[in-house]
Amino acid sequence: MTARKVRIVTADDDPQLLRLIARNLEFEGYDVATAGDGMLALEQVERMVPDLVLLDVMMPKMDGFTVCQRIRAFSTVPIIIVTARGQDQEKVKGLDLGADDYLSKPFSVEELLARVRAVLRRTQFRSDESLAGRAAITTIGALSVDYAQHLVMRSDQEVTLTPTEYRLLAYLAQNVGRVITQDLLLEHVWGADYIGESHMLQVNVNRLRQKVEVDPTHPQYLKTRVGIGYLLVAPS
C-alpha cells in the first residue's frame, strides 16, 4: 500500500515566487496546493486538510495573520508565517496568533525546505517522547499529560494544543519541578538551529498559559525563572 504524500498548502500573492515554492516542494515529494490570496488559502485548507500551511503575511482579500487566526479556530495544523526580513514584530504577531514557525523573505530553497522539514518533524512524536520508561500519564494538580495519546486534560476537560505546544508542555511535564533552560527547551522542541531564539519560546509559553492556566497573568503551573528558563509545578 502506497503511503499518502504529505500535503502542503502554500499561499503568496507573488505568482513567480508561488510557482518556485510549489515546484521545489513537489520535487521533494510533497502534494502541494497553491493560493494567490488569503480567502483562497483558507478554502484550500478547509478542502485539503493539509499537514502544513505556508502563509505569506501580505496578501489580498485576507492577510496572512487573519488566515492564521481563522485556521486556528478549527485546526491545529502546523503553520509557517512568511514575513519580510527584519520585521520581528510580524514574526511575534504571527506566533501570537498560533503560527508554529516563520520564514523571512528573501529566502533560499535550502532554507525553505529546512524549515518545512523542521516543522513536519515536530509533528511526529517519537517513542522516546511518549512512554520512554516513564509513567504513561503525568498528573500535576488538575493538569494531566497522557503521553501515549498525546492528550492534555485540565479538570477533566481536554486542552487543545498544537503539536509544538504539546511537545513543549510534555517535555516540561517529563521534568516536572525542574527548571529547564531556555536553550535546552528550544533545542528539544524546535531543534539546535533555534537556540537563542528566545522570542519563539516566550510566545509559545504565553500561548500555553492561555490554555492551561486559570489566570494566565498569574500562572500557577508554568513558572518563569528569570534569566534561566521555565518549570512546570503543581499549584501550591
Side-chain angles (χ1 to χ4, degrees), residues 18-136:
L18 194 59
R19 285 194 298 271
L20 178 67
I21 292 172
R23 186 162 60 245
N24 280 281
L25 290 174
E26 287 167 349
F27 185 77
E28 291 296 307
Y30 300 119
D31 183 7
V32 182
T34 60
D37 63 69
M39 286 292 292
L40 182 56
L42 190 58
E43 291 171 9
Q44 292 279 38
V45 171
E46 292 174 337
R47 179 187 63 81
M48 191 177 185
V49 191
D51 301 288
L52 175 66
V53 180
L54 272 164
L55 284 179
D56 185 37
V57 170
M58 300 303 294
M59 291 189 294
K61 298 186 180 179
M62 187 184 295
D63 65 43
F65 295 135
T66 305
V67 178
C68 181
Q69 195 170 27
R70 295 278 185 92
I71 291 172
R72 279 291 169 260
F74 65 87
S75 174
T76 60
V77 60
I79 298 171
I80 299 177
I81 285 283
V82 182
T83 69
R85 191 170 298 278
Q87 297 298 312
D88 288 346
Q89 70 273 18
E90 289 188 349
K91 299 173 186 175
V92 173
K93 183 176 180 179
L95 294 170
D96 271 335
L97 291 172
D100 296 85
D101 208 340
Y102 63 85
L103 185 63
S104 298
K105 291 181 178 180
F107 50 81
S108 66
V109 172
E110 291 76 14
E111 187 179 2
L112 164 70
L113 296 176
R115 288 278 171 163
V116 166
R117 285 192 293 264
V119 172
L120 288 172
R121 187 169 57 246
R122 293 200 294 270
T123 69
Q124 306 302 313
F125 301 106
R126 306 186 305 269
S127 59
D128 64 341
E129 292 177 313
S130 53
L131 303 183
R134 304 178 178 86

